[in-house]
C-alpha cells in the first residue's frame, strides 16, 4: 500500500476488537518508531497494553472505546515539539494503516494511566489509540480547497495534490484550522489559525501535503 492509499483509507476508529496486535506487527511498529524517533528527536513509545488510558468516563465523553494498545507521543520539549509529534506521529499512523491496523489520535486520555516513560526535559503531548477496529471509520466532513488556500496566480499540479491530501488529514475536533500559502518563489507556508492542539494538527497537515505534492517543503 502506498502512502497515498493509506491516506485515503485512514479514518479515526473509536471502537476496537479486544484482539492484541500480533508479535510480528509489534516488531514492525517498533522498528518504524525507532527510525522516526531518530529523525524527529522524539521518544514515541508503543505501549502494548493500553490498560486504563481510555477509561469509562472518558469513553462516555469522547466516544473513544478502549483500544488494546496505545502510542504515547513523548519528545524533547521545545517550541517545535507539537509539530514534530504531528509530523512523525502521522507517518507512524499511515504506516500502521498500511499493515492493516486502525488508529485514532486522542488528546483526551488519562496521562497517569498510560504508563509512558517521560525523561527530564521531555513532555507527553498526546496519545494515539491503535489496534483492530470494529469498523474502518468514515470520511470526515471537509472544508473545500478554496477555504484553506492562499495563492496568487496559477497553482501548480503538485500544490493542488498536496492540498487535496492535506484536507484528508485528521485534525482535533475536525477543526481544519490551517491555511496553506503558496508564495511567488513556490515555497510553502503552513499557517496556524489557532485552536486546540493546532500545532500538532499543522505537523500532520504538513506530512500529508508533502506526500501529495511528492516533495519536501
Ligand atoms: C490533535 C488531535 C487530537 C484529537 N483528539 C481526539 C480525542 O481526544 N478523541 C477523539 O475521539 N478523537 C480525537 N481526534 C480525532 C479527530 O476527531 C478526527 O481526526 C477528526 O474528526 C477527523 O476525522 P478522521 O480522523 O476520521 O479523518 C483528534 C485528532 C487530532 C489530530
Amino acid at each position: 500500500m502506498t502512502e497515498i492509499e493509506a491516506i485515503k483509507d485512514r479514518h479515526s476508529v473509536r471502537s476496537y476488537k479486544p484482539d492484541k496486535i500480533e508479535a510480528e506487527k509489534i516488531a514492525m511498529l517498533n522498528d518504524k518508531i525507532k527510525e522516526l524517533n531518530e529523525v524527529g528527536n522524539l521518544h514515541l513509545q508503543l505501549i502494548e497494553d493500553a490498560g486504563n488510558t481510555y477509561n469509562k468516563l472518558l469513553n462516555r465523553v469522547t466516544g473513544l472505546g478502549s483500544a488494546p494498545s496505545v502510542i504515547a507521543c513523548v519528545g524533547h520539549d521545545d517550541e517545535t515539539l507539537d509539530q514534530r509529534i504531528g509530523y512523525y506521529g502521522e507517518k507512524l499512523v499511515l504506516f500502521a494503516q498500511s499493515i492493516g491496523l486502525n488508529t485514532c489520535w486522542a488528546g483526551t486520555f488519562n496521562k497517569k494511566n498510560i504508563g509512558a516513560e517521560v525523561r527530564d526535559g521531555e513532555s507527553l503531548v498526546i496519545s494515539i489509540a491503535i489496534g483492530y477496529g470494529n469498523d474502518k471509520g468514515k470520511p470526515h466532513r471537509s472544508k473545500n480547497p478554496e477555504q484553506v488556500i492562499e495563492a496568487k496566480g496559477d497553482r501548480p499540479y503538485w500544490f493542488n495534490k498536496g492540498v487535496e491530501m492535506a484536507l484528508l488529514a485528521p485534525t482535533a475536533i475536525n477543526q481544519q484550522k490551517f491555511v496553506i500559502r503558496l508564495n511567488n518563489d513556490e515555497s510553502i507556508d503552513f499557517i496556524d489559525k489557532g485552536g486546540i492542539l493546532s500545532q500538532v494538527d499543522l505537523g500532520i497537515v504538513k506530512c500529508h501535503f508533502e506526500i501529495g505534492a511528492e516533495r519536501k517543503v
Side-chain angles (χ1 to χ4, degrees):
M1 184 184 280
T2 65
E3 281 185 307
I4 297 258
E5 286 165 343
I7 285 179
K8 290 182 175 170
D9 266 16
R10 185 218 61 87
H11 310 294
S12 288
V13 167
R14 297 187 173 80
S15 168
Y16 288 88
K17 297 187 173 117
D19 313 18
K20 286 184 172 178
I21 303 171
E22 309 87 312
E24 191 189 316
K25 288 190 182 176
I26 292 284
M28 289 166 84
L29 287 167
N30 277 326
D31 281 351
K32 190 72 183 173
I33 286 173
K34 188 163 179 280
E35 172 197 321
L36 295 171
N37 280 344
E38 273 167 26
V39 280
N41 188 21
L42 292 170
H43 188 191
L44 305 175
Q45 298 154 53
L46 174 64
I47 295 166
E48 281 189 60
D49 180 359
N52 286 323
T53 304
Y54 308 105
N55 59 30
K56 288 215 175 79
L57 180 65
L58 290 180
N59 294 353
R60 245 177 274 144
V61 178
T62 68
L64 178 60
S66 58
S69 299
V70 61
I71 294 151
C73 298
V74 177
H76 175 71
D77 198 353
D78 62 23
E79 71 288 351
T80 67
L81 177 61
D82 281 16
Q83 265 202 45
R84 281 186 286 122
I85 291 279
Y87 185 87
Y88 294 104
E90 185 65 4
K91 295 244 174 233
L92 185 58
V93 159
L94 296 175
F95 177 74
Q97 188 76 35
S98 77
I99 59 170
L101 294 162
N102 300 108
T103 55
C104 184
W105 283 92
T108 308
F109 67 103
N110 193 310
K111 286 200 171 187
K112 290 210 180 87
N113 291 352
I114 193 170
E117 184 193 22
V118 184
R119 302 186 200 116
D120 279 355
E122 291 185 340
S123 286
L124 168 60
V125 175
I126 193 166
S127 69
I128 302 171
I130 183 164
Y132 290 100
N134 281 320
D135 56 62
K136 300 290 167 208
K138 56 178 188 339
H140 60 239
R141 204 162 19 88
S142 179
K143 290 186 175 175
N144 63 51
E146 299 311 316
Q147 291 173 288
V148 299
I149 287 175
E150 205 181 292
K152 295 192 190 87
D154 290 344
R155 295 167 197 164
Y157 177 79
W158 60 265
F159 178 77
N160 290 332
K161 290 306 282 180
V163 171
E164 185 187 331
M165 292 304 125
L167 284 170
L168 295 176
T171 56
I173 53 170
N174 199 25
Q175 57 194 350
Q176 298 189 307
K177 280 187 154 187
F178 60 85
V179 167
I180 304 175
R181 183 198 288 144
L182 173 65
N183 300 310
N184 289 338
D185 62 359
E186 295 213 332
S187 62
I188 302 292
D189 290 319
F190 295 90
I191 300 156
D192 179 358
K193 289 176 66 194
I196 180 175
L197 289 166
S198 58
Q199 283 290 309
V200 177
D201 284 357
L202 215 59
I204 299 174
V205 164
K206 186 172 173 187
C207 168
H208 277 224
F209 181 92
E210 287 186 349
I211 291 167
E214 294 185 65
R215 60 177 69 190
K216 286 255 179 206
V217 292

